[in-house]
Amino acid sequence: MIKNYLKTAWRNLFLNKTTSLISMAGLAVGICCFLLLTTYLINELRYDGFHTNADRISRLTFSYKSADDADVKTAALTPTAPVPVFKQEFFDVEDGVRVVNYSNMRAAVVQFGDKIFKEKKMLVADASFFKIFTFNFISGDTKSALDNPSSIVITASTAKKYFGNDNAIGKILKVDQKNNMMVTGVVEDVPEYSQIKFDLLGNYAMMPRSLTRAWNSSNDYSYFLLKPNADREAVAKQMTNYITKDRPLSNDKMWFNLEPLTKVHLYSSATYGLEPGGNIKYMYILGLVAVILLVLACVNFLNLVTARSAERAKEIGVRKVMGAMRGQLFSQFIIEAGIITLISLIVGFALLDLTLPAFSTFTGQQLGLHTWNLSWLVIALVTLFVLVTLLAGTYPSLYLSAFKPIITLKGGSSMQSGGNMLRKSLVVFQFVVSVFFIISTLIAGNQLRFMQSLDTGINRDQVLVLDMGGMPYSKIETFKTEIGVQTGVLGSTASYDSPVNVRGGYSINIAEGKNADFNLSVTAIPVEKSFTKTLGIKLVAGSDLDVGDEQQVMDTAESKRRFSFILNEKAVAALGWQPEQAIGKKIGLNGRMGTIKGVAKDFNFASLHEEITPIVMFPEYDWFGKLLVKTSGKNTAKTIANIQASWHKFYPNAPFEYHFLDQEFEALYKTDQRTGSILTAFTIIAIFISCLGLFGLAVFSTRQRIKEIGIRKVLGAGVASIVGLVSFDFIKLVLIAILISSPLAWYAMHAWLQDFAFRAEIHWWVFAIAGGTAALIAFLTVSYQSVKAALSNPVNSLRSE
C-alpha cells in the first residue's frame, strides 16, 4: 500500500513539474532562511552559557538616584570594595572576582623582542578568575595561573603572534614599557559568544587601586559565584543593606543588583558594560521573522495544491468510485506533501551550508553548523520535517479527500468557492507580510540615516582619533605643536574619553545657593583647553577654557587647585539656573572646587537611544586617553602619513594606530544596523517567496481561463485588455493587503522608535512607496503569464470546443 502511494505521489510530482518546482523552491528557501535565523538566534542566546558554573555566576551592577536626579542611573562599573568585602560578609557568596578593562583606559603596548603591538583586548582580574569562569587551558595551571602579581595569561592566537610555534610559558612580555609580565598560561581563543573577551589577561595586582577597598570611583566589573540554591535577589538585597545601613536619614536611593551572567548580553540595561550588549527585543523580532518566512513557504504549497483541486477533482472522483476511502486518499496526499517537504528540507539544508559563510560575514558573527549542538540539529530537522509536512499538507489533504465523486465526475466541485476564498485569503496574507516587511525596512533605514545625519552638536567630520593613554601631557603638547603646522591639520585636542561616548560618572555635591545635602549625578570628562573649539561645540553663555585655566590646575598643588567648568544647558537647568545666571557660580565636582566659566549648547555625548543628560567639561591634565586631530579632509592619506612620521619620532616604541571619530559614533548603533541589514535581506526573500506563490497561482488562473481568453481574442479583445482582466483579480488582493498591513506596520514601528530618544518621523510616503513597490512586483509577476496567454493562438485553445 505504502509503496503504491509513493509511486503515485512521485508520478504526480513529475506530471506537474512547474507546481512541484515552485512548491519545493519556496519551501527550500523558507527552510533555509528559518535555519539561518535560528542559527543566529542560538548564537545570541547561548552567550556565556559555556562556563561550567554559568547558572551560579552573577554580575554586580549599581543603581543610584539622589533627590536631585531626574532618573535612576544603573551602571555595570563598581568600586574596588564589593568583591573582597562581600566574599567575607555573606555566606551565600562562594567566590568573587574583579575584572578591569585595561585596554579601555589605554590600548596596551605589548613588546616581545622586536615585536611590538597595541593590544585592544587586555583585561586584568583577581587570581580567582579561572576558578569562577571556564576557559580551556592549552598549557599552564588553571588553579595558579594568576597567583603571581606579574602573571599574564594569553590566548592561543596571541601566543602564535608573539612566539610562533615556541612554547609561550615562562616568556616575558613587556606591557607599556614598565610591566614585565610572565606568561603562565595559554588558553584557547575566547568564544565570540562570550561577553568577557580578552587576548591577554593580567593580574589585578598590577593596578595601584588593588591595594584599596574603596566604595567610590567605580571602574571595576564585579562578578560573584553564588553557592548552589542561593537566592540571587535575597543576596543582592543583603548587599544593598550593607552599604545603606549607615545612611538612614539620606534621601538618596542606592542599591545593588545581581544579574545572571547568561542574561547580561541580551537583557541588561546597565551602562558601561564590558562590550556593547544585544537587545532581547531584536531577538523576538528576528524569531518572528524566521517563523513568518517558514509559514509563507508553507502557505505557497497549500495555495498551489488547493489551486490544483479542479484538475485533480476527477482523479479523486474515480478513486472514490473504485472504492477508495477518505483515509486512504488523505494518506496519499499527505505522502505527496511529505516527499516535497523532504526534498525541500534537503535542498534547504544544502543552501544553509552554502550561505552560512556569507551570512556570518553579513552579521559580523562567527556562525556555522558548529553553532548547533549536533543532537539539537538532528531534532530540529526532524521536527521541521514533521511540522512543515503537517502545516503544508494537512489542509490540502483534508480538502481534496472530501470531494464528492458525483459532483466531481460531472465536472464541478462542491468546494470550489471555498477553495477560491481560501486562496485569496492566503495571497492577502502573503502580501500583508511582504508589505509589512517593506514598510518596516524603510522606516528602520530612515531612522539609521537620520541618526547618521543628525546634528549632534559635535563636528565629527574628518576627526582622527589617536590613543595617547598614559603618555605625559608635556610630551602630548609637544607632539601637538609639531603636527599643528602640517598641511591638512586644522587643530587638535586631548580628552580623557571619546566625545561621542563619554562614560565618566560624577556628581555635583556642592552648588552655590543649594542645600548642604545637594547631590546631582552628572557625566563629566576631563578635557584640554581647545576641546570645544576643535569639535565645534557651541557656547551659549560665558567663554571657553584658556591658558589661564590650564595653568590654574597644572601649576598648583592638588589641594589648592581651582577649576573652571563648562556645563551643558541640561546641567545648568538641573541646577535651576539660566545659562547667563550660571556664569561665575561656584560648584564642587567630586571634590574639585571651582566656578562655571561657560555653558555649552546641548550636544549628544552618548548613544541617540538616550536623552541628553547633564555633562560637565573641566581641565585636568593628569591623564588623557584620546588625541583628536581635526583635518581638512583634503589629501587625507598624505596628512595621515605626515602625522605618522611625527608619531614615530615622538613614540618610537608605540605602534601608530588611528581611526575616525565617525567610526566610533557608528559603532554605537552596531546592533541596530545589523538587525536592519538582516531585516532588509529577509524582506527581499519574503517578497521572493510571495511572488513564487503568486506566479504559481497565475499559471493556474490563466490555464483555467484559457478558453475564455481565446473567445475574447476572437471577439476582438487586445493584449492589454486581457492582461488587465487576468491581473486585476490579483492586484485587487494586493491592494487589500496594503490596507491591512499599513496600520499594523505603523503601530509596530512606532513602538520600535520609542527605544530612540532622537527619532525620525514616520512619513506618509513610506507607505506609498511600500504599497507601490508591492503592487508593481505583483503586477510584473502576474503579467508574465497574462501576456503569454494573451499572445497565444486562440485556435489552439478553442480546438476542443
Side-chain angles (χ1 to χ4, degrees):
M1 180 71 74
I2 298 296
K3 185 178 179 181
N4 182 56
Y5 285 164
L6 290 172
K7 282 183 178 180
T8 306
W10 195 254
R11 190 181 301 122
N12 273 317
L13 292 180
F14 273 92
L15 285 174
N16 299 278
K17 295 185 183 66
T18 302
T19 309
S20 301
L21 285 174
I22 290 174
S23 298
M24 286 187 285
L27 276 176
V29 171
I31 289 169
C32 175
C33 292
F34 178 83
L35 292 174
L36 277 175
L37 284 171
T38 304
T39 304
Y40 178 80
L41 293 174
I42 287 173
N43 189 65
E44 289 288 294
L45 293 169
R46 68 175 175 165
Y47 252 72
D48 300 308
F50 62 90
H51 299 290
T52 302
N53 296 314
D55 60 325
R56 293 199 286 135
I57 303 173
S58 297
R59 184 180 75 171
L60 187 71
T61 64
F62 181 65
S63 297
Y64 179 83
K65 184 182 185 303
S66 75
D68 301 294
D69 288 337
D71 301 300
V72 173
K73 313 285 185 184
T74 300
L77 291 170
T78 55
T80 60
V83 167
V85 171
F86 293 158
K87 281 171 65 173
Q88 294 175 341
E89 291 290 330
F90 302 122
F91 172 80
D92 284 328
V93 175
E94 183 173 312
D95 209 342
V97 61
R98 294 168 294 186
V99 178
V100 176
N101 187 354
Y102 187 89
S103 296
N104 186 56
M105 299 182 295
R106 62 176 73 85
V109 178
V110 180
Q111 182 176 2
F112 177 75
D114 59 351
K115 294 180 179 179
I116 304 176
F117 298 98
K118 274 192 174 181
E119 297 292 353
K120 297 178 180 178
K121 290 184 180 179
M122 179 172 171
L123 305 179
V124 296
D126 288 316
S128 55
F129 182 85
F130 291 110
K131 297 172 186 174
I132 295 175
F133 299 109
T134 307
F135 293 96
N136 298 324
F137 270 72
I138 297 173
S139 56
D141 184 5
T142 307
K143 296 180 180 178
S144 61
L146 287 178
D147 282 355
N148 193 299
S150 61
S151 300
I152 192 167
V153 175
I154 61 177
T155 61
S157 59
T158 305
K160 183 79 173 176
K161 181 168 67 174
Y162 285 98
F163 312 116
N165 295 323
D166 294 344
N167 182 15
I169 301 298
K171 297 288 196 305
I172 303 296
L173 292 174
K174 183 173 285 188
V175 179
D176 289 336
Q177 300 298 310
K178 58 183 180 181
N179 298 305
N180 291 320
M181 313 289 289
M182 178 184 289
V183 179
T184 54
V186 179
V187 298
E188 293 178 0
D189 287 351
V190 178
E192 278 296 313
Y193 48 96
S194 170
Q195 56 104 6
I196 302 175
K197 295 184 175 73
F198 62 90
D199 291 328
L200 304 96
L201 181 72
N203 192 301
Y204 187 82
M206 71 183 286
M207 308 293 292
R209 65 173 178 271
S210 64
L211 302 174
T212 66
R213 290 189 177 184
W215 291 99
N216 54 10
S217 187
S218 299
N219 290 289
D220 298 355
Y221 297 95
S222 299
Y223 296 88
F224 291 97
L225 177 66
L226 303 183
K227 290 184 178 178
N229 302 317
D231 186 327
R232 185 178 285 108
E233 291 185 6
V235 175
K237 189 173 182 179
Q238 290 175 341
M239 293 175 173
T240 299
N241 291 337
Y242 184 90
I243 62 166
T244 58
K245 63 185 177 182
D246 297 326
R247 301 166 56 92
L249 301 178
S250 173
N251 290 325
D252 298 343
K253 295 180 180 178
M254 56 182 67
W255 62 95
F256 282 122
N257 312 283
L258 285 173
E259 299 178 325
L261 181 68
T262 53
K263 299 287 187 181
V264 168
H265 177 65
L266 291 176
Y267 291 87
S268 180
S269 60
T271 55
Y272 313 139
L274 262 175
E275 67 160 21
N279 189 326
I280 190 61
K281 290 181 182 178
Y282 288 156
M283 298 305 103
Y284 292 140
I285 291 170
L286 294 178
L288 185 62
V289 170
V291 172
I292 287 174
L293 287 171
L294 186 62
V295 170
L296 278 180
C298 293
V299 163
N300 262 0
F301 177 75
L302 192 157
N303 223 348
L304 292 172
V305 171
T306 54
R308 284 186 55 216
S309 59
E311 295 183 0
R312 303 200 67 175
K314 291 182 179 176
E315 171 199 340
I316 295 163
V318 171
R319 284 174 177 271
K320 283 198 168 185
V321 168
M322 298 297 292
M325 304 297 293
R326 185 176 180 182
Q328 293 173 314
L329 291 172
F330 177 85
S331 300
Q332 170 69 52
F333 295 129
I334 207 73
I335 286 174
E336 287 185 23
I339 291 174
I340 289 177
T341 302
L342 182 61
I343 295 172
S344 301
L345 188 63
I346 293 170
V347 175
F349 187 76
L351 285 174
L352 172 72
D353 195 34
L354 289 172
T355 55
L356 264 174
F359 188 63
S360 297
T361 304
F362 183 67
T363 59
Q365 304 281 342
Q366 292 182 356
L367 304 176
L369 293 178
H370 59 80
T371 304
W372 292 76
N373 177 295
L374 182 60
S375 58
W376 292 1
L377 182 59
V378 172
I379 292 171
L381 293 175
V382 172
T383 304
L384 207 53
F385 169 74
V386 173
L387 285 178
V388 173
T389 299
L390 293 177
L391 186 62
T394 299
Y395 178 80
S397 301
L398 290 171
Y399 177 77
L400 293 172
S401 62
F403 283 177
K404 296 178 180 179
I406 295 177
I407 297 175
T408 55
L409 290 176
K410 288 182 177 181
S413 172
S414 60
M415 303 181 73
Q416 191 65 30
S417 59
N420 283 335
M421 183 58 68
L422 174 69
R423 288 195 295 278
K424 289 178 180 178
S425 301
L426 293 177
V427 169
V428 170
F429 168 76
Q430 286 182 308
F431 275 90
V432 164
V433 171
S434 296
V435 175
F436 182 95
F437 279 177
I438 294 171
I439 293 171
S440 300
T441 301
L442 289 174
I443 293 175
N446 191 41
Q447 174 63 20
L448 292 174
R449 287 190 297 275
F450 170 79
M451 291 190 298
Q452 290 170 342
S453 61
L454 180 70
D455 180 5
T456 60
I458 295 179
N459 188 345
R460 306 183 307 272
D461 191 39
Q462 298 297 323
V463 176
L464 289 176
V465 183
L466 308 181
D467 181 16
M468 310 295 288
M471 296 178 182
Y473 180 69
S474 58
K475 199 169 184 179
I476 294 175
E477 181 68 17
T478 308
F479 176 70
K480 281 180 55 188
T481 301
E482 170 149 332
I483 66 172
V485 298
Q486 294 177 3
T487 303
V489 175
L490 302 180
S492 61
T493 189
S495 67
Y496 183 91
D497 214 343
S498 168
V500 298
N501 191 20
V502 183
R503 299 161 65 91
Y506 291 71
S507 62
I508 296 176
N509 45 22
I510 298 175
E512 189 175 319
K514 302 297 179 183
N515 295 332
D517 62 350
F518 179 81
N519 198 319
L520 175 68
S521 298
V522 298
T523 302
I525 178 173
V527 300
E528 195 190 6
K529 60 183 181 295
S530 53
F531 183 78
T532 56
K533 179 182 177 182
T534 303
L535 295 176
I537 297 173
K538 298 176 182 177
L539 298 181
V540 296
S543 58
D544 205 350
L545 302 174
D546 55 29
V547 176
D549 301 310
E550 176 184 296
Q551 292 175 345
Q552 189 171 271
V553 295
M554 291 183 70
D555 302 338
T556 309
E558 186 173 349
S559 60
K560 296 181 179 179
R561 287 180 180 177
R562 286 296 177 265
F563 289 82
S564 295
F565 299 106
I566 294 179
L567 281 62
N568 70 343
E569 294 171 297
K570 285 280 186 181
V572 170
L575 289 164
W577 302 325
Q578 294 296 321
E580 293 77 12
Q581 295 174 329
I583 304 304
K585 296 281 189 182
K586 294 180 175 60
I587 63 170
L589 180 76
N590 283 52
R592 299 168 180 84
M593 296 303 300
T595 57
I596 298 173
K597 186 174 184 181
V599 178
K601 184 178 176 61
D602 284 338
F603 63 94
N604 295 93
F605 55 87
S607 167
L608 294 175
H609 283 277
E610 304 168 23
E611 295 279 0
I612 295 176
T613 56
I615 186 172
V616 179
M617 294 165 279
F618 61 96
E620 188 171 72
Y621 292 75
D622 297 341
W623 197 93
F624 284 127
K626 310 280 186 181
L627 182 66
L628 309 163
V629 183
K630 179 69 174 177
T631 67
S632 64
K634 298 176 182 178
N635 204 348
T636 304
K638 185 177 180 181
T639 301
I640 293 173
N642 291 337
I643 294 173
Q644 182 176 11
S646 297
W647 175 276
H648 288 311
K649 183 169 32 171
F650 280 82
Y651 310 105
N653 294 320
F656 176 75
E657 293 181 2
Y658 70 91
H659 60 270
F660 286 94
L661 189 58
D662 263 336
Q663 291 173 302
E664 285 192 33
F665 181 77
E666 290 172 5
L668 297 174
Y669 313 103
K670 185 177 179 180
T671 300
D672 302 305
Q673 290 170 338
R674 184 166 59 218
T675 305
S677 298
I678 293 172
L679 188 61
T680 300
F682 287 101
T683 294
I684 295 170
I685 292 169
I687 294 170
F688 170 74
I689 293 174
S690 298
C691 288
L692 267 182
L694 198 60
F695 179 79
L697 289 176
V699 170
F700 283 114
S701 179
T702 51
R703 188 183 300 173
Q704 289 176 344
R705 302 179 70 174
I706 192 68
K707 289 185 172 62
E708 175 193 346
I709 292 170
I711 293 170
R712 288 179 178 275
K713 287 193 72 176
V714 169
L715 294 175
V719 173
S721 63
I722 292 174
V723 169
L725 175 72
V726 176
S727 303
F728 178 72
D729 287 343
F730 293 103
I731 301 302
K732 181 171 62 178
L733 299 178
V734 174
L735 293 176
I736 294 171
I738 293 170
L739 292 175
I740 295 172
S741 62
S742 293
L744 294 176
W746 180 89
Y747 178 81
M749 296 310 294
H750 177 76
W752 176 73
L753 286 171
Q754 301 313 302
D755 283 343
F756 297 88
F758 298 85
R759 45 189 175 266
E761 293 182 12
I762 300 178
H763 298 285
W764 65 268
W765 53 260
V766 170
F767 302 94
I769 290 175
T773 301
L776 178 62
I777 291 172
F779 176 76
L780 293 175
T781 302
V782 174
S783 63
Y784 171 79
Q785 279 299 316
S786 305
V787 171
K788 185 178 177 182
L791 293 176
S792 64
N793 190 340
V795 173
N796 294 329
S797 59
L798 296 174
R799 184 176 294 163
S800 61
E801 292 298 311

